[in-house]
Amino acid sequence: MNFSIWWQALTTMPSLSSQQWQQLDIISRWLIATRASVFLMTITSASIGGLLAWRDGLFNGWLFFLTVLGLTFAHATNNLLNDLTDSARGIDKNNYYRNQYGVHVLEDGLLTKNSFWKYVIFTGAVALLAGGLLVWERSGITLSLMAAGAFFVLFYTWPLKYIGLGEPAVLLVWGPLMIGGSYYVISGQWSWPVAYLSMIYALGPTSVLFGKHIDKMDADRAKKVYSLPVILGDSLARKTVLLMLSLQYVLVLLLVATGVLHWVMLVLLINLPALISTFKKFQANKPEQKPDDFPDNIWPLWFSAFAFDHTRKFSGLFLVALILEISLFS
């Protein structure tokens, strides 16, 4: 087992040769095949739901563990099905954008389709097992929440992503469904204030997806993948991302002013310099060639990289603010 490869797979999308792939342990292969570097956004959603349940005196550690496990493996299943579907439909062939910024185990010939299906079945089975245990333990609307999640796992790649509905789906999934749903299965209560609050965080992952689809807009248009940025066009799509990022701070101020959030959540304003920096990147055109100081393993992604950096910092501060509120004022 190579823990350094695990960490690399959890933080980046490493590029590997076939020989290097053969030397990896099974966990490293699974982490790379499922694009584990983006799991942080899902784990953060579940953690926000868990912290809010803790704040309200309704936390259950076992149910929190099952929630994190189920959501993470559901996300992994979605990523695998995304690659499988796009590969089968011919979208990822001929050095398509997806092949350039990370390992694509099917297109790169690292896994046969039969072996890939084993990854899908194992990963989906873990997600279903965790979800089934949550339904057994909590009942109520848990099965409905699980069914909604399964719908997006199965149909995000096709047809939602192809008809401009992938981005709205992510907003719903990473917000009310993940955070609101996590709060419900952990606490046993549905909370509309939690669902409203969840939109603050959900705008972050949605901006990252928007950024990625802006980066690959020309390639998507050529493949007839009509993501929302393709429909909106480059200029309006970039302005939409900046609007979403700005709304995160506006919503924090609004919810603090109305008493839904504690004033300690204003610590999120510390991230305003990162917002300003992201604004500058989105207001300028993407370079034709990779800048010397830009990481090789991220290019040709550009806008999504800066949206992800902002979201990572904002998410960290969001969790810190919730922990401070619980520690100091609960």
Side-chain angles (χ1 to χ4, degrees):
M1 293 186 181
N2 191 328
F3 294 106
S4 65
I5 293 294
W6 293 8
W7 178 251
Q8 187 179 357
L10 286 167
T11 55
T12 65
M13 291 187 182
S15 297
L16 298 169
S17 66
S18 178
Q19 183 177 6
Q20 290 172 316
W21 174 263
Q22 296 302 324
Q23 295 171 352
L24 296 178
D25 61 85
I26 188 62
I27 295 177
S28 298
R29 292 186 184 187
W30 182 85
L31 291 171
I32 291 170
T34 57
R35 289 179 270 155
S37 60
V38 295
F39 292 169
L40 177 62
M41 293 187 292
T42 293
I43 294 170
T44 300
S45 285
S47 297
I48 291 171
L51 284 169
L52 291 170
W54 188 307
R55 180 197 64 180
D56 296 340
L58 301 169
F59 185 77
N60 182 304
W62 168 240
L63 296 181
F64 174 69
F65 168 75
L66 287 177
T67 300
V68 173
L69 182 69
L71 289 178
T72 301
F73 274 76
H75 189 176
T77 304
N78 175 260
N79 285 350
L80 290 170
L81 290 176
N82 194 335
D83 282 352
L84 181 65
T85 302
D86 282 347
S87 181
R89 292 176 62 85
I91 298 297
D92 289 342
K93 296 187 183 302
N94 301 323
N95 199 32
Y96 178 66
Y97 221 93
R98 166 69 183 88
N99 310 57
Q100 298 177 46
Y101 62 81
V103 173
H104 191 310
V105 294
L106 282 173
E107 292 299 319
D108 294 340
L110 302 179
L111 282 177
T112 64
K113 190 164 288 188
N114 286 339
S115 297
F116 192 88
W117 266 111
K118 292 178 182 178
Y119 280 58
V120 174
I121 292 169
F122 164 75
T123 307
V126 173
L128 286 173
L129 177 60
L133 288 171
L134 287 171
V135 171
W136 177 268
E137 294 272 2
R138 182 56 72 194
S139 65
I141 64 169
T142 307
L143 181 59
S144 298
L145 292 168
M146 184 177 171
F151 171 83
F152 288 114
V153 166
L154 294 172
F155 298 111
Y156 164 78
T157 303
W158 188 89
L160 298 180
K161 185 177 71 173
Y162 285 66
I163 55 175
L165 293 178
E167 295 80 9
V170 166
L171 186 65
L172 289 174
V173 169
W174 264 265
L177 188 57
M178 280 196 187
I179 296 178
S182 294
Y183 182 89
Y184 174 80
V185 297
I186 294 167
S187 70
Q189 299 179 14
W190 178 260
S191 169
W192 283 111
V194 169
Y196 302 147
L197 182 155
S198 72
M199 298 303 290
I200 297 174
Y201 174 74
L203 287 165
T206 308
S207 74
V208 175
L209 182 66
F210 243 87
K212 184 174 79 169
H213 288 168
I214 293 170
D215 284 327
K216 59 204 285 283
M217 185 182 300
D218 292 338
D220 278 346
R221 187 182 291 110
K223 295 280 187 173
K224 298 183 179 180
V225 178
Y226 297 107
S227 66
L228 196 49
V230 169
I231 294 171
L232 294 176
D234 179 74
S235 177
L236 185 54
R238 282 198 259 168
K239 290 175 181 176
T240 302
V241 172
L242 296 181
L243 175 62
M244 288 191 291
L245 296 181
S246 300
L247 272 175
Q248 290 186 291
Y249 299 87
V250 172
L251 288 173
V252 168
L253 292 173
L254 179 62
L255 292 178
V256 168
T258 55
V260 175
L261 289 178
H262 194 278
W263 63 262
V264 76
M265 296 300 292
L266 294 176
V267 74
L268 286 163
L269 299 181
I270 294 174
N271 205 47
L272 282 174
L275 176 66
I276 294 170
S277 176
T278 306
F279 255 73
K280 292 178 180 178
K281 295 298 183 182
F282 272 80
Q283 288 172 335
N285 291 328
K286 178 181 177 179
E288 293 291 334
Q289 301 293 329
K290 183 187 78 66
D292 292 338
D293 59 348
F294 195 78
D296 292 335
N297 62 343
I298 296 177
W299 185 263
L301 296 179
W302 179 258
F303 293 116
S304 59
F306 294 107
F308 183 82
D309 184 63
H310 174 273
T311 295
R312 177 177 57 82
K313 293 173 181 175
F314 186 93
S315 302
L317 282 171
F318 201 111
L319 291 174
V320 167
L322 283 177
I323 292 169
L324 283 175
E325 179 183 346
I326 293 167
S327 303
L328 300 176
F329 303 104
S330 296

